[in-house]
Amino acid sequence: MARIEIENAEMAALGAANNAEILFEMGMMYATGRECETDMVAAHKWFNIAAIKGCPRAALLRAEVAETMSKDELARALREARQWMTCH
């Protein structure tokens, strides 16, 4: 029984890592305008969520994006990230 629990925990950890990478890619998509309009608020939101989920690259890019944003944009990105996190 313990073996099954360990395997489930390992699979959950793998899923979390993959999830963080997907969220990081969402940030990259909005930051670069790949397949969408460039949107630094959305980019910051997705980098922030990916960083919270454990993606260190996202934390670095989140800081770079934040340097280009106004306080209002930053506040909006943080609100949107918080809303997303409460739903998921």
Side-chain angles (χ1 to χ4, degrees), residues 18-37:
N18 291 339
N19 191 25
E21 286 299 314
I22 291 168
L23 297 167
F24 174 79
E25 288 301 320
M26 293 288 292
M28 288 298 294
M29 182 181 77
Y30 283 104
T32 62
R34 185 178 67 218
E35 300 179 26
C36 64
E37 292 288 322

Side-chain angles (χ1 to χ4, degrees), residues 55-77:
C55 181
R57 294 183 303 162
L60 295 172
L61 291 176
R62 174 188 60 194
E64 285 184 29
V65 168
E67 290 177 6
T68 68
M69 298 169 67
S70 70
K71 288 184 180 187
D72 288 338
E73 290 172 323
L74 205 61
R76 193 169 100 223

Side-chain angles (χ1 to χ4, degrees), residues 31-54:
T32 62
R34 185 178 67 218
E35 300 179 26
C36 64
E37 292 288 322
T38 302
D39 183 344
M40 290 302 145
V41 171
H44 186 281
K45 173 181 89 173
W46 292 115
F47 287 144
N48 191 33
I49 296 168
I52 290 167
K53 298 281 185 176

Side-chain angles (χ1 to χ4, degrees), residues 1-19:
M1 192 64 138
R3 181 178 175 187
I4 292 171
E5 291 175 7
I6 290 170
E7 288 176 5
N8 286 340
E10 289 172 354
M11 289 303 289
L14 286 174
N18 291 339
N19 191 25

